[in-house]
Structure formats: C-alpha cells, structure tokens
Amino acid sequence: MSDRELTAAVAVLRAGGLVAFPTETVYGLGADASNTAAVRRIFEVKGRPASHPVIVHLADAVQLANWARDIPESARKLARKYWPGPLTLILERARGVSDAVTGGQDTVALRVPSHPVAQQLLARFGGGIAAPSANRHGRVSATTAEHVRREFGAAVDCVLDGGAAEVGIESTIVDLSGGKATLLRPGSIAGEEIERALGMPLAAPARDAPRAPGTLAAHYAPETPLTLVEGDLLAELAATLTRQGKKVAALALTEARPLFPAVTWLAAPSDAAGYARALYANLRALDAVGCDAILVERPPQDAAWVAINDRLSRAAAGSFLPDAP
Ligand code: TXA
Ligand code: MG
C-alpha cells in the first residue's frame, strides 16, 4: 500500500467519507466511528436497518478504554491472546459512543484487525473506524477489492486493495457484557478455543435476542436460491434438475462431476481453512453464472467446520429448489 493511497484514505475518513479496506476476515466498509453522519452513510449505502450495530475497529487494545467501560478481566485476556486478529468483543459502551454505532444499545462491538493495510490505516487515522462487512445488507461478504467495487461502484469514496482476505469469513463474536460470556457468531477462532482461554464455558445466545443481523437466518445469501445437499445426492440432484431444464451450479468437495456439461461445477478446497478462504468468492462466481439453483455439498459437521456450516445454512435460509416445469 503506497503512502499516497493511505494519506488519501485518511483524508476521506476525516472528511466524513467512506473507505473500504481489507481485513484478514473480509473487507470492511469504513467510516469515522466518532462522526455520526459518516456512520449513517454506511447504513444508507449498505441498505442496512439503522437498528443493526456496527463493529468499531481499533489500531490496538490500548484504545479500548475510549470505547468501552467496566472492561472485565476476561476481555483483557482475550484481547491479549487474539488481538490483532479475527475476534470481536462486545462490551459495555463508553459514554459518548454514538447510537448510530451501537444501534441504540448499551454495548459496543470492538475489534483490532491484523491485516497490515487495516493496521496502517487505523494507526494513521488514530481513531476508531466503524465498519460492517463491505456488502449490501444480507448478501455475500466481499473478500477482494474487486468484489467491493462491483458491489458499490462510486458510492464508496475509496477502496484500498490489500489482496484476497486470508481467513475469508467474518470474525468470531463474543459478548462479554453483563457479566457473562456468550458466543454470538462462530468464526475461525473456535468457541472451544475461547472457552479454554477463558477457563469457562460460553453461553449460547438467547433465542429471543437476535441482536446481530449476521446471526439472523437469511444472511450471507447469493441472489440465486442456494440449497445444501448431502454429498451422495449432489450429482444425482444436479442431473435431475438439468433434465428438467434448469441451469444448475454446484459447489462440491470433489472434482468428480456428473456427466452433464450444462452443470457449472466448482470443487472447493477440502480443508476447513481453505474452504472458508474461498467460500464467498466461490458463491459470487456461482451466482454470476445466472443459474436457477446453486447446490452446495454439505461439508463435514465437525468442530473445524462450525463457522462454515453456520454461514452456509444462513445463505440457504429462505431458498427453495425451483419447481419442476
Ligand atoms: O470480520 C468481521 O467482523 C468483519 C470485518 C470487516 O471486521 N465485519 C463484520 O461486520 O462482519 P458486520 O457488521 O457485517 O457484522 C458484525 C456483527 C453484526 O451482526 C452486528 O449486529 C454485530 O456484529 N454487532 C455489532 N455491534 C453489536 C453489539 N453491540 N451487540 C451485539 N452484536 C453486535
Ligand atoms: Mg456482514
């Protein structure tokens, strides 16, 4: 990242504009977190309801006290262990943190990203950068600068290109407010790891309190209906739909595709880290084919795949296989 690009991006933030930037998880759509009008613009551009809070990104944990109060020892512990990195902590908000950032809640989401470009941008800017994932509300997150440009065009003032995101799926979110520790969103840092670091079990989120849209059903979704299919049924279902005249795209865990040339077939990496890294680019590629259905082979169900299965089931929520003619 050139010095000139960084200087320009910081100037955009200071002027209340929007800067898309890479993080190790996914690209973020950033604004000065202390500028309410700038934060509101993020919501407009994303088409996101104002009640949904955004994460404030910080250069380092030293800045925690500017944004949170009554910081528990558990937060210090996790910050020491995982920051900079793909972990977001929910804490009681400090006085003065805008309702636009917190969605009017008494808590605030904080994260110190590790991507070098995010680090440089935050260090130069000096303050907090409010940033949700750089995608239209409910849609697939962006893992490259090109995804961001295609998603928003000129609506974003500046896009910093830091290459393809390394992790590929959004950060693990742990809520440490109210004296409890709750896993709000699984991510590449597994819940079990957090439990070991804290020395206590994590609570499951209350069913009636879906405070994080990324934890709602029907999120991370391509435009094309997406269906999860058991591996041994994938080729057969793709063949059946094709015979019915449907255009089918498949995300499989094997190169062994059915003998139907009409089916678009993508073989995903078979390890969880590789699968996650490629997931959103794969979904975008399959969406771009303009099919009637995206069939995704259901990945393994073990611990390493929890966050991936979480995203896939939300991407599939509300989708149904197209009817036979
Ligand atoms: O990896 C990530 O976390 C990426 C990168 C850009 O940092 N960001 C991201 O932001 O995924 P977003 O807005 O797409 O998802 C953040 C989630 C949302 O579901 C939001 O509702 C939740 O965090 N969240 C933010 N503040 C919260 C709060 N105070 N209480 C509960 N959930 C909160
Ligand atoms: Mg998001």
Side-chain angles (χ1 to χ4, degrees):
M1 183 64 37
S2 78
D3 208 63
R4 212 167 41 87
E5 282 174 283
L6 277 172
T7 306
V10 168
V12 167
L13 289 174
R14 293 210 197 292
L18 301 186
V19 173
F21 62 98
T23 82
E24 67 280 18
T25 56
V26 299
Y27 274 67
L29 182 59
D32 178 353
S34 62
N35 179 337
T36 298
V39 175
R40 292 226 172 93
R41 246 196 95 201
I42 301 178
F43 287 78
E44 268 166 44
V45 166
K46 265 193 76 116
R48 176 166 170 152
S51 60
H52 291 187
V54 288
I55 299 172
V56 177
H57 297 70
L58 305 173
D60 56 58
V62 176
Q63 295 178 21
L64 260 186
N66 300 337
W67 298 91
R69 67 182 148 80
D70 303 334
I71 300 165
E73 183 46 34
S74 55
R76 306 259 177 225
K77 224 188 233 177
L78 294 183
R80 267 196 306 274
K81 179 149 188 188
Y82 295 109
W83 283 354
L87 174 70
T88 297
L89 297 178
I90 310 287
L91 299 169
E92 312 285 344
R93 72 166 156 183
R95 213 204 304 262
V97 179
S98 140
D99 279 344
V101 166
T102 67
Q105 303 185 61
D106 265 337
T107 55
V108 62
L110 298 164
R111 170 161 121 76
V112 176
S114 65
H115 192 292
V117 173
Q119 278 281 323
Q120 288 168 53
L121 179 69
L122 285 161
R124 286 246 194 145
F125 179 60
I129 299 181
S133 52
N135 54 276
R136 282 174 298 129
H137 182 63
R139 295 299 176 190
V140 178
S141 300
T143 51
T144 69
E146 188 49 38
H147 293 165
V148 179
R149 287 191 203 102
R150 257 186 256 147
E151 192 95 4
F152 295 116
V156 174
D157 303 299
C158 166
V159 180
L160 296 178
D161 191 343
E166 180 66 23
V167 175
I169 54 173
E170 306 76 6
S171 59
T172 303
I173 304 182
V174 179
D175 184 351
L176 295 173
S177 68
K180 287 190 308 227
T182 309
L183 183 66
L184 291 189
R185 181 173 70 185
S188 64
I189 301 174
E192 289 79 4
E193 259 189 79
I194 304 274
E195 291 181 332
R196 266 197 303 278
L198 289 177
M200 64 173 191
L202 287 168
R207 284 203 164 275
D208 57 341
R211 295 191 297 176
T215 66
L216 293 177
H219 214 77
Y220 313 110
E223 312 260 359
T224 315
L226 182 152
T227 307
L228 279 162
V229 183
E230 300 303 328
D232 48 353
L233 298 177
L234 181 64
E236 195 183 312
L237 184 55
T240 305
L241 288 170
T242 307
R243 245 183 263 118
Q244 292 171 355
K246 304 290 182 212
K247 246 179 113 181
V248 176
L251 183 60
L253 286 157
T254 164
E255 301 277 356
R257 48 169 301 145
L259 300 169
F260 280 89
V263 176
T264 303
W265 191 269
L266 263 185
S270 56
D271 66 297
Y275 191 102
R277 191 175 304 128
L279 176 61
Y280 292 137
N282 281 340
L283 292 182
R284 280 170 182 270
L286 294 177
D287 213 10
V289 176
C291 283
D292 301 300
I294 295 174
L295 305 181
V296 176
E297 177 171 356
R298 193 185 293 283
Q301 297 297 300
D302 46 86
W305 294 80
V306 167
I308 291 165
N309 283 308
D310 170 76
R311 302 307 189 277
L312 284 175
S313 62
R314 292 175 207 288
S319 285
F320 299 94
L321 278 176
D323 290 330

